[in-house]
Amino acid sequence: MKLTSKAAGTFAIAPTPFFDDGRIDDKSIDSLIDFYASIGCDGVTVLGILGEAPKLESAESESVAARFIKRAGSKLQIIVGVSAPGFAAMRSLALKSMDAGAAAVMIAPPPHLRTDDQITAYFKQASEAIGEDVPWVLQDYPLTLNVVMTPAVIRRIVMDSKSCVMLKHEDWPGLEKITALRGFQKDGSLRELSILTGNGGTFLDFEMERGADGAMTGYAFPEMLIDVVDLSKKGERDKAHDLFDAHLPLVRYEQQPGVGLSVRKYVLQKRGIIASAAQRKPGPVLSAPAKAEVDYLLSRVARFDKRANLQPQSSAAG
């Protein structure tokens, strides 16, 4: 099913698994999808910034997206990141992904955009390029992309394109932006829009209280994200914050610029979900002291959340 503006819950951002020599690890893709489905994720986003999409050839991107989509079947909605320097490449990957069964695509702004008019014009053209029947997710991630979109600009983009059904909100700080967007909806100046939040879940506890519909991020224990989203929706505030607080030191450590993906892949490997923590070069390698720090944080998380005891959820070996 195609993604709609009513989408909610937890969408995991999937890393792209590689062997140590840089080849794509298809078996670990299968293992990732099986894991995400088994714990109750609502969907998975692939080929995002932490999916190392810029390091893939176009044929590889198509193959990775197709593998995730096929393995997910009807169990999970798959969103495919299609950001590209040019609209031709964006359109090609978008259409091939949708033909393969993707629920939607995700588009991030190129870093050269500066003015509000430049930003809104770009996304209007991008929407036209992929086709107005293709639902898409607007990625707002100024910390990495260096493009600042105000709530008013986001409103213009969404109102210009009926096929924009979701905002991936990753501004930081960004709580007031969520409140402003929900305010636009209340006064009738913005149509229905799903808002899922990222940034490793760093502010998920309060983002839910501000009106987010869920999470779309890649923390190595997505079970926590699922539970915080669910507890928040049930109004069980203290339970949501208690669980979130137990994981926060590891969330913070994983959110470090430069090494965050290394941490995430290291934990996923320790959990038996992917076979290797390798990134495709160029990419950092987690140092021995850093691994020891992560291991210590995992032991502390496990005091509160037994799911962090690192008993393998599945096997990605082979």
Side-chain angles (χ1 to χ4, degrees):
M1 294 179 61
K2 288 185 177 181
L3 197 73
T4 73
S5 57
K6 296 184 182 297
T10 300
F11 282 61
I13 291 283
T16 301
F18 296 104
F19 291 110
D20 291 343
D21 61 6
R23 291 178 297 122
I24 295 169
D25 181 358
D26 286 336
K27 288 186 178 180
S28 286
I29 289 178
D30 294 346
S31 178
L32 269 171
I33 282 291
D34 293 347
F35 167 68
Y36 292 139
S38 71
I39 62 174
C41 284
D42 298 282
V44 176
T45 301
V46 305
L47 299 181
I49 292 173
L50 290 180
E52 301 180 70
K55 300 178 186 178
L56 302 182
E57 297 177 1
S58 58
E60 289 179 317
S61 296
E62 295 167 9
S63 175
V64 167
R67 183 88 182 197
F68 273 107
I69 293 166
K70 182 178 180 181
R71 188 70 176 191
S74 61
K75 296 176 291 186
L76 296 164
Q77 289 190 299
I78 303 296
I79 299 171
V80 179
V82 297
S83 303
F87 289 141
M90 180 186 295
R91 174 180 172 81
S92 176
L93 181 56
L95 296 185
K96 288 179 180 178
S97 297
M98 295 303 295
D99 287 344
V105 302
M106 183 169 69
I107 305 173
H112 66 268
L113 300 179
R114 287 295 175 264
T115 70
D116 292 351
D117 288 343
Q118 288 174 340
I119 296 168
T120 55
Y122 175 83
F123 281 105
K124 186 173 183 179
Q125 293 171 4
S127 178
E128 292 170 351
I130 63 175
E132 297 184 355
D133 60 333
V134 176
W136 61 280
V137 178
L138 170 63
Q139 184 171 16
D140 179 23
Y141 196 7
L143 277 75
T144 293
L145 301 172
N146 298 314
V147 177
V148 177
M149 291 186 275
T150 66
V153 166
I154 292 172
R155 175 173 58 183
R156 284 176 59 185
I157 294 169
V158 173
M159 296 305 285
D160 280 347
S161 175
K162 294 181 180 179
S163 53
C164 180
V165 297
M166 178 184 289
L167 172 68
K168 188 190 178 190
H169 168 77
E170 295 193 274
D171 205 345
W172 184 357
L175 296 174
E176 298 299 334
K177 181 177 284 188
I178 297 174
T179 297
L181 291 169
R182 293 309 190 201
F184 291 156
Q185 289 180 299
K186 289 179 182 178
D187 68 26
S189 63
L190 176 64
R191 61 177 174 79
E192 184 178 45
L193 178 70
S194 173
I195 299 177
L196 300 189
T197 63
N199 273 323
T202 315
F203 293 97
L204 180 60
D205 50 350
F206 287 113
E207 286 167 340
M208 290 301 299
E209 295 176 11
R210 290 293 189 110
D213 295 298
M216 184 193 289
T217 193
Y219 178 54
F221 287 92
E223 303 98 317
M224 181 275 282
L225 305 175
I226 293 169
D227 287 349
V228 169
V229 168
D230 290 345
L231 289 167
S232 297
K233 289 181 177 180
K234 293 176 182 177
E236 298 186 46
R237 187 183 196 190
D238 288 344
K239 289 183 179 180
H241 280 268
D242 286 345
L243 177 59
F244 178 81
D245 290 349
H247 283 260
L248 185 55
L250 183 58
V251 169
R252 179 192 63 180
Y253 198 95
E254 191 185 274
Q255 194 61 13
Q256 294 179 87
V259 300
L261 180 58
S262 300
V263 175
R264 186 170 301 167
K265 282 192 162 183
Y266 174 68
V267 176
L268 290 172
Q269 181 188 30
K270 285 181 69 72
R271 300 191 71 187
I273 299 165
I274 59 176
S276 171
Q279 297 179 53
R280 179 169 282 186
K281 297 179 181 179
V285 177
L286 207 61
S287 68
K291 289 180 180 178
E293 289 163 352
V294 173
D295 291 343
Y296 175 68
L297 290 174
L298 287 169
S299 70
R300 291 181 63 82
V301 171
R303 295 180 185 179
F304 186 90
D305 190 340
K306 298 305 180 184
R307 295 171 298 192
N309 62 9
L310 296 185
Q311 295 299 315
Q313 304 289 327
S314 60
S315 176

